[in-house]
Amino acid sequence: MLMRTDPFRELDRLAQQLMGPGTWSKPSAMPMDAYREGDEYVVAFDLPGVAADAIDIDVERNMLTVKAERRPLAKADEVQMELSERPLGVFSRQIVLADTLDTEHIKADYDAGVLTLRIPIAERAKPRKISIGVGSDRREISG
C-alpha cells in the first residue's frame, strides 16, 4: 500500500474540521472563475457532488448570490466510513455586478459539477456611433 503525505492537504482538512461544515447562516466559500467572452461575462463555480436542485441563484439590484448545499450520501447502517475529505454543508459566493451588465437575461447551466452563468453586457453599455448635426451637414463620430 502506497501512502503519500501532503502537508497542505492536512492543513486544509484541519481548518475544515475546526470551522465545521458551512451552514445557511455561515456558508463556506466556493471556488470560481470569471472572464469576458465576446458580449457577455462568464462566471463558473465548482460545485462537484452538488445536486442541481440544491443550488440557489438570486439577483437583487446588482448583487448576485449563489448558494449550494452538498448533502451527505445516504449510507446503509453496515457502512463504516474510512476516509472523508470532501466537504459537506453550505457554500456561498456573492458578486457585485456592474451597472453595465444585463441582470434580466442571465443564463445558468449546470454540467459535470460546474455551474456556469452567462451575463450579457447591456445594450446601453456597448459602444455606438453618435451623429452630429452641423447645419444641413451631418457626420458620425465614434462614441
Side-chain angles (χ1 to χ4, degrees):
M1 178 179 206
L2 179 63
M3 303 273 295
R4 188 179 97 177
T5 304
D6 181 355
F8 296 109
R9 180 182 296 168
E10 291 302 311
L11 273 174
D12 288 342
R13 186 186 58 75
L14 182 60
Q16 183 70 23
Q17 282 181 339
L18 292 174
M19 294 180 349
T23 63
W24 285 104
S25 61
K26 190 176 179 184
S28 300
M30 68 179 81
M32 67 172 237
D33 290 336
Y35 54 93
R36 183 174 176 167
E37 185 175 77
D39 283 343
E40 61 188 9
Y41 277 91
V42 180
V43 185
F45 299 92
D46 279 350
L47 296 170
V50 174
D53 65 350
I55 301 172
D56 186 35
I57 306 167
D58 289 315
V59 177
E60 185 176 336
R61 294 190 185 145
N62 288 0
M63 181 67 70
L64 172 73
T65 304
V66 177
K67 282 191 176 183
E69 182 177 14
R70 183 180 298 130
R71 300 173 181 128
L73 298 173
K75 294 179 229 150
D77 291 337
E78 66 273 1
V79 172
Q80 180 179 344
M81 183 62 77
E82 294 293 329
L83 179 64
S84 179
E85 293 182 345
R86 298 179 343 155
L88 300 174
V90 179
F91 303 87
S92 179
R93 196 71 183 250
Q94 286 190 314
I95 304 169
V96 177
L97 301 176
D99 290 331
T100 58
L101 298 178
D102 184 358
T103 59
E104 297 294 321
H105 296 96
I106 297 174
K107 295 177 191 163
D109 293 306
Y110 188 58
D111 184 39
V114 178
L115 173 66
T116 303
L117 303 180
R118 295 187 172 276
I119 310 166
I121 296 173
E123 287 298 319
R124 68 182 182 279
K126 293 179 183 176
R128 60 194 174 279
K129 299 234 184 234
I130 300 172
S131 54
I132 300 173
V134 181
S136 63
D137 182 31
R138 287 190 178 257
R139 60 188 176 124
E140 289 189 2
I141 63 170
S142 296

